Amino acid sequence: MQRRDFLKMTSMALAITSGMPQFLARAATQAGGEKTLVVIQLSGGNDGLNTLVPYGNDAYYAARPNIAIPRKDVLPITDVLGMNPNLRSFLPLLENDEFAWIENVGYPNPNRSHFASMAIWHTADPTGASREGWIGRIAETIGDPFCATYLGDIPPLAVRSDTLTLPVVDDPDTYQVTLPSGLEDEYQTLLKLRRGGEAAFIQQSTLNMLQHTRATQQNLKKYRTGAKYPDNKFASRLQDLAKLIASGEAGRILYTSLGGFDTHAAQRAEQDELLTILSEGLTAFRADLMAQGLYDKVMVLAFSEFGRRVHENNSAGTDHGKGGVMFAFGKGVKGGIHGESPDLENLDDGDVRYKVDFRGVYARTLKNWLNLNPAEVLGKDFDGPAFI
């Protein structure tokens, strides 16, 4: 049984009783979403200028005499912008018009602190007042605690909710309900007690959840990979995402991360390796989804907490900056470059000046991909680039 079927059946059965919790009533109407959003967090502050390279701008080469991507190595997209050569595996996606770059992304009053800036991206609140994540608010809005899953060990603030606990999965093959040692028998005894009213509802829901967890494990076993993944942890996470999607248990949002982009020294070697891991892993993920016949239902959206300063430092690296780049791909994406090439003659205290508020990207994603009301999640609607 699929997750959405579980929610619908549970809600339909309980609709004839009084006292049905509202979160399940809302879930019943929202669980039918067919599309999945995969969020990729690039932790550390990815350098946008050496990712989407302004190779037609002499100011770029003047600012980075040691770490700029040579013109001969750039993968041209336009006369002035091209990709880092380690993103070569993205070229077919660009040619198919299913890969979008979004330029000069940031937010008002930028913060160069990793912690503070990441929290702003996670909460979609540049004031820093909110302690809930934007994905956590999605779960609250539609009343579905299983709408999003984080693949990894430490969940980001983005999936935090004040009222719901969203799943965090380190290994889907071992995903199950676990209890403190010694409490298993007592727990089973409690589940067998005769109850009435809302206690009966919670009891039945718990039994259904346990049954659903067992069904999930059975469906995961049916997965057969449709692609060869690189041998690294990030690629393994992506394969786990594909496994969840193929099993029908992915929910509407999956989230994972790739760290190490804080390239203060020896940037070229470090970032080049990371971009290779990123592009080759995502290319295998795409091939797997295509083999499963599921690619049309998935969109990938990647971000980093900030870009890096325009001028290189004395350690052949770059320090924390402001405006950066995002990218998205999938069959629902309008490919190409959205936004202008960075104006390196008009900097914001030495940084790329942001022109696109990232909340506009979130809003476009919520509205055009997840079919949700951005104002209910972000507090209001925001204009964003037309990449979907």
Side-chain angles (χ1 to χ4, degrees), residues 175-268:
Y175 177 53
Q176 58 185 326
V177 176
T178 58
L179 297 170
S181 178
L183 294 182
E184 292 88 350
D185 291 342
E186 184 176 355
Y187 186 67
Q188 291 299 326
T189 299
L190 287 173
L191 289 177
K192 294 175 182 175
L193 293 177
R194 184 181 297 276
R195 298 184 184 277
E198 292 191 1
F201 162 77
I202 293 172
Q203 183 183 46
Q204 187 58 49
S205 295
T206 303
L207 290 168
N208 287 342
M209 179 186 67
L210 293 171
Q211 180 182 356
H212 176 63
T213 303
R214 289 191 291 270
T216 298
Q217 287 301 317
Q218 291 300 316
N219 288 333
L220 288 173
K221 292 177 182 176
K222 299 175 183 175
Y223 166 79
R224 299 291 181 272
T225 186
K228 180 175 175 55
Y229 284 82
D231 184 15
N232 58 64
K233 187 173 182 179
F234 178 66
S236 178
R237 293 278 191 218
L238 293 174
Q239 188 169 20
D240 285 341
L241 297 182
K243 190 181 298 183
L244 282 171
I245 294 170
S247 74
E249 310 297 340
R252 305 187 70 178
I253 304 169
L254 292 170
Y255 193 118
T256 194
S257 62
L258 174 63
F261 286 92
D262 196 17
T263 52
H264 288 283
Q267 174 172 308
R268 281 299 309 273

XYZ file of all heavy atoms in Angstrom, residues 175-268:
742
model
N 15.193 1.360 8.148
C 14.159 2.295 8.607
C 13.016 1.532 9.253
O 12.349 0.729 8.610
C 13.655 3.106 7.413
C 12.530 4.051 7.729
C 12.632 4.977 8.759
C 11.358 4.023 6.976
C 11.600 5.855 9.036
C 10.316 4.895 7.244
C 10.447 5.810 8.271
O 9.420 6.681 8.550
N 12.807 1.740 10.530
C 11.726 1.086 11.244
C 11.503 1.795 12.569
O 12.313 2.614 12.995
C 12.070 -0.382 11.494
C 13.349 -0.565 12.282
C 13.734 -2.021 12.419
O 12.863 -2.880 12.512
N 15.013 -2.319 12.407
N 10.386 1.476 13.202
C 10.105 2.055 14.509
C 10.926 1.315 15.557
O 10.893 0.094 15.629
C 8.603 1.939 14.843
C 8.329 2.460 16.252
C 7.789 2.718 13.817
N 11.705 2.045 16.321
C 12.509 1.423 17.363
C 12.119 2.000 18.720
O 11.781 3.173 18.834
C 14.007 1.638 17.122
O 14.268 3.057 17.057
C 14.463 0.995 15.834
N 12.189 1.185 19.726
C 11.862 1.593 21.092
C 13.076 1.381 21.984
O 13.947 0.561 21.670
C 10.700 0.759 21.612
C 9.370 0.906 20.876
C 8.398 -0.164 21.362
C 8.795 2.291 21.099
N 13.139 2.115 23.098
C 14.230 1.864 24.043
C 14.238 0.402 24.469
O 13.173 -0.214 24.644
C 13.894 2.792 25.214
C 13.065 3.887 24.609
C 12.269 3.233 23.520
N 15.407 -0.139 24.627
C 15.541 -1.543 25.007
C 14.762 -1.853 26.280
O 14.821 -1.112 27.260
C 17.032 -1.863 25.206
O 17.185 -3.201 25.609
N 14.013 -2.955 26.247
C 13.272 -3.382 27.429
C 11.821 -2.941 27.434
O 11.042 -3.387 28.273
N 11.446 -2.039 26.502
C 10.078 -1.527 26.493
C 9.211 -2.173 25.416
O 8.030 -1.860 25.296
C 10.083 -0.010 26.286
C 10.688 0.833 27.409
C 10.586 2.320 27.088
C 9.977 0.550 28.738
N 9.802 -3.056 24.606
C 9.052 -3.616 23.487
C 7.793 -4.364 23.955
O 6.701 -4.152 23.409
C 9.946 -4.564 22.667
C 11.064 -3.876 21.927
C 12.316 -3.737 22.773
O 12.239 -4.015 23.994
O 13.354 -3.338 22.230
N 7.932 -5.261 24.953
C 6.796 -6.058 25.399
C 5.704 -5.177 26.001
O 4.507 -5.376 25.756
C 7.258 -7.101 26.422
C 8.135 -8.174 25.785
O 8.097 -8.291 24.542
O 8.843 -8.858 26.529
N 6.115 -4.194 26.810
C 5.143 -3.298 27.427
C 4.411 -2.486 26.358
O 3.202 -2.252 26.455
C 5.858 -2.357 28.395
C 4.915 -1.440 29.166
C 5.660 -0.587 30.176
O 6.886 -0.782 30.324
O 5.021 0.272 30.803
N 5.140 -2.094 25.315
C 4.527 -1.320 24.233
C 3.468 -2.163 23.525
O 2.360 -1.697 23.243
C 5.617 -0.884 23.265
C 5.163 0.051 22.173
C 4.747 1.348 22.462
C 5.152 -0.360 20.842
C 4.344 2.210 21.467
C 4.744 0.500 19.838
C 4.348 1.780 20.147
O 3.948 2.629 19.163
N 3.799 -3.414 23.236
C 2.834 -4.286 22.574
C 1.605 -4.518 23.455
O 0.476 -4.589 22.963
C 3.502 -5.623 22.232
C 4.568 -5.521 21.148
C 4.004 -5.033 19.833
O 2.854 -5.341 19.474
N 4.797 -4.248 19.093
N 1.820 -4.630 24.760
C 0.695 -4.801 25.681
C -0.228 -3.593 25.646
O -1.459 -3.716 25.611
C 1.224 -5.017 27.115
O 2.031 -6.195 27.130
C 0.077 -5.167 28.101
N 0.358 -2.396 25.635
C -0.440 -1.174 25.571
C -1.265 -1.113 24.296
O -2.415 -0.666 24.298
C 0.483 0.047 25.661
C 1.086 0.343 27.033
C 2.106 1.465 26.940
C -0.008 0.714 28.032
N -0.682 -1.578 23.202
C -1.404 -1.518 21.928
C -2.593 -2.476 21.885
O -3.502 -2.305 21.068
C -0.440 -1.840 20.775
C 0.600 -0.767 20.462
C 1.535 -1.243 19.352
C -0.090 0.536 20.046
N -2.597 -3.485 22.751
C -3.678 -4.469 22.747
C -4.806 -4.108 23.704
O -5.853 -4.767 23.709
C -3.109 -5.848 23.111
C -2.153 -6.401 22.055
C -1.532 -7.711 22.519
C -0.530 -8.226 21.481
N 0.178 -9.446 21.959
N -4.625 -3.088 24.532
C -5.665 -2.711 25.479
C -6.876 -2.136 24.759
O -6.735 -1.438 23.751
C -5.107 -1.672 26.468
C -4.013 -2.158 27.425
C -3.520 -0.989 28.280
C -4.529 -3.289 28.310
N -8.073 -2.425 25.265
C -9.287 -1.889 24.672
C -9.410 -0.405 25.046
O -9.319 -0.042 26.226
C -10.508 -2.644 25.186
C -11.826 -2.201 24.543
C -12.982 -2.984 25.135
N -12.869 -4.389 24.864
C -13.289 -4.961 23.728
N -13.855 -4.208 22.791
N -13.151 -6.253 23.542
N -9.613 0.440 24.076
C -9.689 1.872 24.324
C -10.873 2.468 23.571
O -11.425 1.845 22.667
C -8.400 2.582 23.893
C -7.162 2.122 24.653
C -5.931 2.924 24.251
N -4.741 2.433 24.909
C -4.369 2.764 26.150
N -5.139 3.579 26.856
N -3.277 2.287 26.683
N -11.229 3.688 23.939
C -12.313 4.375 23.254
C -11.935 5.807 22.938
O -10.894 6.313 23.370
N -12.784 6.467 22.140
C -12.578 7.873 21.831
C -11.276 8.137 21.089
O -10.842 7.337 20.256
N -10.645 9.248 21.412
C -9.414 9.627 20.719
C -8.277 8.667 21.034
O -7.384 8.465 20.218
C -9.027 11.055 21.076
C -9.994 12.087 20.512
C -9.467 13.498 20.643
O -8.342 13.666 21.157
O -10.182 14.420 20.237
N -8.289 8.060 22.220
C -7.251 7.084 22.554
C -7.315 5.891 21.595
O -6.286 5.349 21.175
C -7.407 6.615 23.999
N -8.539 5.502 21.220
C -8.693 4.410 20.257
C -8.156 4.814 18.886
O -7.535 4.017 18.171
C -10.169 4.023 20.153
N -8.412 6.083 18.551
C -7.904 6.572 17.275
C -6.373 6.526 17.240
O -5.756 6.053 16.282
C -8.381 8.013 17.043
C -7.582 8.733 15.997
C -7.786 8.485 14.658
C -6.590 9.635 16.370
C -7.040 9.121 13.700
C -5.842 10.271 15.426
C -6.065 10.009 14.080
N -5.750 7.013 18.314
C -4.279 7.036 18.366
C -3.732 5.609 18.339
O -2.750 5.306 17.662
C -3.819 7.780 19.639
C -4.204 9.260 19.537
C -2.306 7.637 19.843
C -3.972 10.046 20.804
N -4.416 4.712 19.059
C -3.997 3.314 19.070
C -4.051 2.720 17.659
O -3.110 2.077 17.202
C -4.896 2.520 20.006
C -4.508 1.064 20.145
C -5.487 0.316 21.033
O -6.707 0.466 20.878
N -4.970 -0.461 21.971
N -5.163 2.944 16.966
C -5.307 2.393 15.624
C -4.307 3.014 14.666
O -3.726 2.350 13.805
C -6.728 2.598 15.112
C -7.015 1.907 13.782
C -6.779 0.402 13.850
O -7.256 -0.269 14.765
N -6.011 -0.126 12.893
N -4.079 4.338 14.817
C -3.111 5.009 13.954
C -1.713 4.440 14.161
O -0.942 4.275 13.211
C -3.113 6.523 14.233
O -4.355 7.081 13.887
N -1.389 4.145 15.420
C -0.069 3.573 15.711
C 0.072 2.201 15.075
O 1.107 1.879 14.483
C 0.129 3.470 17.238
O -0.026 4.773 17.813
C 1.521 2.931 17.559
N -0.983 1.389 15.183
C -0.943 0.067 14.558
C -0.786 0.196 13.046
O -0.026 -0.549 12.421
C -2.209 -0.711 14.905
C -2.326 -1.157 16.371
C -3.738 -1.653 16.656
C -1.299 -2.243 16.682
N -1.527 1.157 12.465
C -1.400 1.377 11.025
C 0.005 1.829 10.658
O 0.554 1.434 9.621
C -2.416 2.424 10.576
C -3.832 1.881 10.576
O -4.043 0.668 10.586
N -4.808 2.776 10.581
N 0.601 2.702 11.505
C 1.951 3.172 11.221
C 2.944 2.016 11.226
O 3.809 1.901 10.361
C 2.369 4.219 12.257
C 3.780 4.758 12.065
S 4.282 5.850 13.413
C 4.372 4.684 14.766
N 2.794 1.118 12.216
C 3.694 -0.029 12.281
C 3.513 -0.930 11.060
O 4.483 -1.424 10.484
C 3.422 -0.815 13.572
C 3.773 -0.085 14.870
C 3.260 -0.875 16.073
C 5.273 0.127 14.979
N 2.248 -1.104 10.656
C 1.992 -1.908 9.465
C 2.590 -1.242 8.229
O 3.174 -1.899 7.364
C 0.486 -2.101 9.284
C 0.123 -2.932 8.048
C -1.379 -3.058 7.876
O -2.157 -2.595 8.722
N -1.814 -3.676 6.793
N 2.436 0.071 8.187
C 2.963 0.830 7.053
C 4.483 0.738 6.997
O 5.076 0.603 5.918
C 2.539 2.291 7.200
C 3.104 3.188 6.157
N 2.831 3.065 4.815
C 3.949 4.237 6.266
C 3.462 3.987 4.149
N 4.155 4.714 5.004
N 5.127 0.788 8.148
C 6.586 0.684 8.189
C 7.036 -0.666 7.650
O 8.000 -0.757 6.892
C 7.086 0.875 9.628
O 6.627 2.126 10.122
C 8.600 0.849 9.680
N 6.298 -1.722 8.035
C 6.650 -3.043 7.517
C 6.440 -3.099 6.008
O 7.261 -3.678 5.277
C 5.796 -4.106 8.214
C 6.170 -4.342 9.668
C 5.484 -5.594 10.225
N 4.052 -5.408 10.359
C 3.468 -4.934 11.463
N 4.195 -4.624 12.517
N 2.159 -4.793 11.534
N 5.367 -2.460 5.532
C 5.117 -2.446 4.088
C 6.214 -1.684 3.358
O 6.638 -2.070 2.262
C 3.755 -1.804 3.802
N 6.682 -0.593 3.980
C 7.768 0.176 3.377
C 8.994 -0.692 3.186
O 9.637 -0.679 2.125
C 8.114 1.381 4.267
O 6.977 2.244 4.360
C 9.290 2.166 3.695
N 9.326 -1.444 4.224
C 10.494 -2.313 4.109
C 10.317 -3.337 2.987
O 11.270 -3.634 2.252
C 10.742 -3.023 5.448
C 11.302 -2.112 6.521
C 12.620 -1.477 6.103
O 13.481 -2.139 5.535
N 12.767 -0.190 6.360
N 9.120 -3.855 2.819
C 8.883 -4.805 1.738
C 9.033 -4.152 0.371
O 9.626 -4.713 -0.551
C 7.473 -5.411 1.875
C 7.319 -6.339 3.062
C 8.274 -7.525 3.003
O 8.454 -8.149 1.961
N 8.909 -7.815 4.129
N 8.506 -2.925 0.237
C 8.602 -2.237 -1.046
C 10.043 -1.860 -1.384
O 10.453 -1.876 -2.543
C 7.736 -0.980 -1.028
C 6.264 -1.306 -1.076
O 5.875 -2.353 -1.597
N 5.433 -0.429 -0.527
N 10.816 -1.507 -0.371
C 12.221 -1.155 -0.616
C 12.994 -2.353 -1.175
O 13.905 -2.184 -1.974
C 12.873 -0.662 0.677
C 12.447 0.722 1.180
C 13.049 0.997 2.546
C 12.869 1.803 0.190
N 12.612 -3.532 -0.764
C 13.329 -4.726 -1.235
C 13.099 -4.986 -2.717
O 13.852 -5.721 -3.354
C 12.875 -5.947 -0.411
C 13.324 -5.900 1.037
C 12.774 -7.091 1.818
C 13.188 -7.007 3.286
N 12.589 -8.096 4.093
N 12.046 -4.377 -3.269
C 11.746 -4.594 -4.693
C 12.609 -3.737 -5.602
O 12.632 -3.938 -6.812
C 10.270 -4.286 -4.957
C 9.311 -5.165 -4.173
C 7.869 -4.718 -4.398
C 6.904 -5.538 -3.550
N 5.513 -5.041 -3.680
N 13.304 -2.755 -5.023
C 14.092 -1.827 -5.842
C 15.250 -2.554 -6.519
O 15.966 -3.323 -5.890
C 14.627 -0.703 -4.945
C 15.714 0.132 -5.578
C 15.407 1.132 -6.490
C 17.049 -0.079 -5.251
C 16.406 1.905 -7.059
C 18.050 0.682 -5.810
C 17.735 1.675 -6.714
O 18.729 2.432 -7.273
N 15.425 -2.269 -7.804
C 16.581 -2.733 -8.563
C 17.172 -1.513 -9.247
O 16.482 -0.835 -10.010
C 16.182 -3.792 -9.596
C 15.577 -5.056 -9.002
C 16.623 -5.867 -8.222
N 16.038 -7.085 -7.671
C 15.441 -7.167 -6.487
N 15.349 -6.069 -5.721
N 14.945 -8.292 -6.057
N 18.428 -1.245 -9.003
C 19.026 -0.027 -9.525
C 18.999 0.007 -11.045
O 19.158 -1.020 -11.709
C 20.470 0.131 -9.016
O 20.961 1.400 -9.446
C 21.367 -0.978 -9.558
N 18.777 1.214 -11.561
C 18.770 1.395 -13.017
C 20.002 2.124 -13.510
O 20.058 2.525 -14.678
N 21.004 2.298 -12.639
C 22.216 3.026 -13.040
C 23.367 2.599 -12.149
O 23.172 2.086 -11.049
C 21.984 4.535 -12.919
N 24.560 2.855 -12.637
C 25.756 2.597 -11.835
C 26.156 3.892 -11.134
O 26.450 4.893 -11.789
C 26.910 2.105 -12.711
C 28.192 1.823 -11.935
C 29.249 1.233 -12.838
C 30.579 1.056 -12.093
N 30.433 0.251 -10.864
N 26.149 3.861 -9.820
C 26.481 5.053 -9.035
C 27.979 5.079 -8.718
O 28.605 4.016 -8.546
C 25.701 5.052 -7.719
C 24.244 5.431 -7.857
C 23.297 4.491 -8.258
C 23.816 6.725 -7.585
C 21.957 4.834 -8.381
C 22.476 7.077 -7.696
C 21.549 6.121 -8.097
O 20.224 6.468 -8.215
N 28.548 6.290 -8.626
C 29.947 6.394 -8.175
C 30.096 5.823 -6.767
O 29.124 5.728 -6.014
C 30.220 7.904 -8.185
C 29.211 8.475 -9.126
C 27.991 7.616 -8.981
N 31.317 5.484 -6.420
C 31.590 4.884 -5.115
C 31.971 5.978 -4.111
O 33.151 6.202 -3.827
C 32.721 3.855 -5.237
C 32.975 3.130 -3.916
O 32.108 3.211 -3.030
O 34.050 2.510 -3.791
N 30.979 6.703 -3.610
C 31.217 7.683 -2.554
C 29.915 7.861 -1.759
O 28.839 7.421 -2.183
C 31.717 9.029 -3.119
C 30.759 9.647 -4.113
O 29.634 10.001 -3.767
N 31.195 9.768 -5.375
N 30.029 8.501 -0.608
C 28.896 8.587 0.317
C 27.744 9.389 -0.260
O 26.568 9.042 -0.079
C 29.356 9.220 1.637
C 28.298 9.210 2.723
C 28.862 9.696 4.049
C 27.803 9.628 5.146
N 28.354 10.091 6.448
N 28.066 10.490 -0.967
C 26.996 11.313 -1.533
C 26.198 10.514 -2.558
O 24.962 10.553 -2.569
C 27.586 12.572 -2.169
C 26.567 13.472 -2.815
C 25.611 14.119 -2.051
C 26.568 13.667 -4.187
C 24.668 14.959 -2.643
C 25.633 14.503 -4.788
C 24.680 15.151 -4.015
N 26.890 9.797 -3.423
C 26.198 8.977 -4.424
C 25.343 7.906 -3.747
O 24.243 7.586 -4.212
C 27.213 8.340 -5.366
N 25.861 7.355 -2.648
C 25.085 6.351 -1.919
C 23.791 6.956 -1.367
O 22.732 6.324 -1.401
C 25.943 5.793 -0.783
O 25.215 4.857 -0.021
N 23.889 8.213 -0.871
C 22.685 8.899 -0.392
C 21.682 9.080 -1.535
O 20.474 8.894 -1.362
C 23.049 10.262 0.165
C 23.891 10.234 1.426
C 23.046 10.010 2.644
N 23.796 10.238 3.858
C 23.661 9.521 4.963
N 22.803 8.532 4.998
N 24.377 9.798 6.035
N 22.192 9.468 -2.695
C 21.302 9.677 -3.834
C 20.627 8.375 -4.242
O 19.444 8.368 -4.615
C 22.092 10.262 -5.008
C 22.629 11.685 -4.812
C 23.515 12.089 -5.985
C 21.480 12.691 -4.660
N 21.357 7.291 -4.170
C 20.732 6.004 -4.502
C 19.648 5.656 -3.486
O 18.613 5.080 -3.844
C 21.777 4.903 -4.569
C 21.213 3.588 -5.100
C 22.282 2.571 -5.424
O 23.409 2.668 -4.943
N 21.942 1.600 -6.254
N 19.887 6.017 -2.222
C 18.848 5.814 -1.214
C 17.600 6.643 -1.537
O 16.466 6.189 -1.340
C 19.373 6.187 0.177
C 20.325 5.145 0.740
O 20.309 4.002 0.251
O 21.098 5.492 1.655
N 17.822 7.862 -2.039
C 16.680 8.684 -2.446
C 15.916 7.998 -3.571
O 14.684 7.946 -3.565
C 17.158 10.068 -2.919
C 17.861 10.985 -1.912
C 18.203 12.314 -2.565
C 16.994 11.237 -0.695
N 16.661 7.516 -4.562
C 16.012 6.828 -5.687
C 15.238 5.615 -5.209
O 14.142 5.309 -5.692
C 17.065 6.424 -6.716
N 15.805 4.924 -4.235
C 15.154 3.728 -3.698
C 13.814 4.094 -3.046
O 12.797 3.408 -3.244
C 16.094 3.081 -2.677
C 15.682 1.710 -2.203
C 16.668 1.172 -1.180
C 18.057 1.017 -1.753
N 18.991 0.414 -0.770
N 13.819 5.180 -2.272
C 12.577 5.617 -1.627
C 11.541 6.045 -2.662
O 10.354 5.736 -2.541
C 12.871 6.776 -0.669
C 13.493 6.401 0.678
C 13.926 7.648 1.429
C 12.497 5.601 1.519
N 11.985 6.777 -3.680
C 11.057 7.234 -4.723
C 10.467 6.027 -5.458
O 9.259 5.950 -5.692
C 11.773 8.181 -5.697
C 12.187 9.467 -4.966
C 10.877 8.516 -6.888
C 13.116 10.356 -5.771
N 11.330 5.083 -5.818
C 10.868 3.907 -6.560
C 9.918 3.053 -5.718
O 9.036 2.389 -6.258
C 12.063 3.079 -7.005
N 10.089 3.086 -4.407
C 9.232 2.278 -3.537
C 7.853 2.894 -3.345
O 6.953 2.244 -2.811
C 9.893 2.107 -2.161
O 9.825 3.303 -1.417
N 7.714 4.165 -3.764
C 6.452 4.854 -3.552
C 6.315 5.427 -2.158
O 5.231 5.851 -1.751
N 7.427 5.477 -1.400
C 7.385 5.917 -0.013
C 8.153 7.219 0.204
O 8.536 7.538 1.320
C 7.987 4.832 0.900
C 7.438 3.444 0.686
C 5.954 3.352 0.984
O 5.437 4.235 1.691
O 5.311 2.421 0.481
N 8.397 7.971 -0.861
C 9.272 9.132 -0.740
C 8.614 10.331 -0.090
O 9.286 11.188 0.471
C 9.785 9.522 -2.128
N 7.289 10.437 -0.155
C 6.648 11.667 0.261
C 6.859 12.728 -0.812
O 7.240 12.431 -1.942
N 6.644 13.983 -0.456
C 6.700 15.043 -1.458
C 8.055 15.737 -1.500
O 8.381 16.406 -2.468
C 5.589 16.051 -1.185
C 4.223 15.372 -1.133
C 3.107 16.349 -1.027
N 2.955 17.088 -2.265
C 2.014 17.993 -2.474
N 1.167 18.278 -1.512
N 1.932 18.629 -3.626
N 8.837 15.622 -0.435
C 10.130 16.298 -0.395
C 11.174 15.364 0.206
O 10.961 14.770 1.264
C 10.060 17.585 0.450
C 8.973 18.514 -0.081
C 11.405 18.310 0.450
C 8.653 19.665 0.842
N 12.297 15.233 -0.472
C 13.454 14.522 0.052
C 14.609 15.510 0.126
O 14.739 16.392 -0.733
C 13.816 13.341 -0.849
C 12.803 12.198 -0.874
C 13.155 11.218 -1.988
C 12.761 11.483 0.463
N 15.477 15.338 1.110
C 16.494 16.351 1.386
C 17.780 15.645 1.790
O 17.774 14.745 2.630
C 15.988 17.207 2.546
C 16.693 18.510 2.833
C 16.016 19.709 2.731
C 18.018 18.554 3.261
C 16.636 20.924 3.024
C 18.649 19.751 3.552
C 17.947 20.933 3.436
O 18.558 22.129 3.732
N 18.876 16.041 1.182
C 20.173 15.532 1.619
C 21.222 16.603 1.363
O 20.897 17.687 0.859
C 20.537 14.199 0.932
O 21.624 13.586 1.616
C 20.914 14.414 -0.530
N 22.465 16.344 1.719
C 23.476 17.397 1.646
C 24.827 16.848 1.214
O 25.103 15.646 1.309
C 23.607 18.096 3.005
O 24.029 17.178 3.995
N 25.655 17.769 0.735
C 27.055 17.488 0.404
C 27.870 18.615 1.009
O 27.642 19.792 0.697
C 27.245 17.434 -1.118
C 28.685 17.297 -1.617
C 29.307 15.981 -1.154
C 28.736 17.386 -3.149
N 28.810 18.292 1.874
C 29.581 19.315 2.579
C 30.985 19.487 2.036
O 31.426 18.778 1.130
N 31.688 20.485 2.591
C 33.099 20.691 2.247
C 33.376 21.876 1.364
O 34.516 22.051 0.898
N 32.366 22.727 1.098
C 32.546 23.819 0.142
C 33.166 25.080 0.761
O 33.205 26.110 0.111
C 31.196 24.172 -0.502
C 30.732 23.152 -1.508
C 29.916 22.102 -1.122
C 31.137 23.222 -2.829
C 29.497 21.152 -2.047
C 30.728 22.285 -3.760
C 29.905 21.248 -3.368
N 33.633 24.987 1.990
C 34.237 26.155 2.656
C 35.711 26.253 2.258
O 36.620 25.963 3.036
C 34.086 26.002 4.169
C 34.322 27.311 4.894
O 34.289 28.373 4.248
O 34.537 27.265 6.126
N 35.955 26.687 1.052
C 37.268 26.589 0.398
C 38.111 27.836 0.627
O 38.358 28.611 -0.304
C 37.068 26.340 -1.105
O 36.156 27.342 -1.620
C 36.490 24.965 -1.348
N 38.615 28.006 1.847
C 39.463 29.164 2.159
C 40.869 28.988 1.599
O 41.596 29.977 1.439
C 39.542 29.360 3.670
C 38.271 29.873 4.284
N 37.877 31.191 4.206
C 37.293 29.225 4.971
C 36.721 31.351 4.839
N 36.342 30.170 5.295
N 41.307 27.780 1.356
C 42.667 27.530 0.858
C 42.626 26.427 -0.190
O 41.783 25.521 -0.138
C 43.583 27.134 2.016
N 43.561 26.536 -1.135
C 43.693 25.516 -2.192
C 42.336 25.177 -2.796
O 41.957 24.004 -2.907
C 44.366 24.270 -1.623
N 41.629 26.206 -3.194
C 40.234 26.017 -3.608
C 40.086 25.129 -4.828
O 39.174 24.298 -4.870
C 39.578 27.379 -3.878
C 38.155 27.245 -4.457
C 37.422 28.545 -4.545
O 37.344 29.263 -3.559
N 36.885 28.866 -5.721
N 40.924 25.327 -5.821
C 40.699 24.607 -7.078
C 40.614 23.101 -6.867
O 39.690 22.446 -7.354
C 41.804 24.935 -8.084
C 41.648 26.273 -8.801
C 40.359 26.353 -9.616
N 40.166 25.230 -10.504
C 40.647 25.138 -11.749
N 41.343 26.140 -12.240
N 40.427 24.084 -12.500
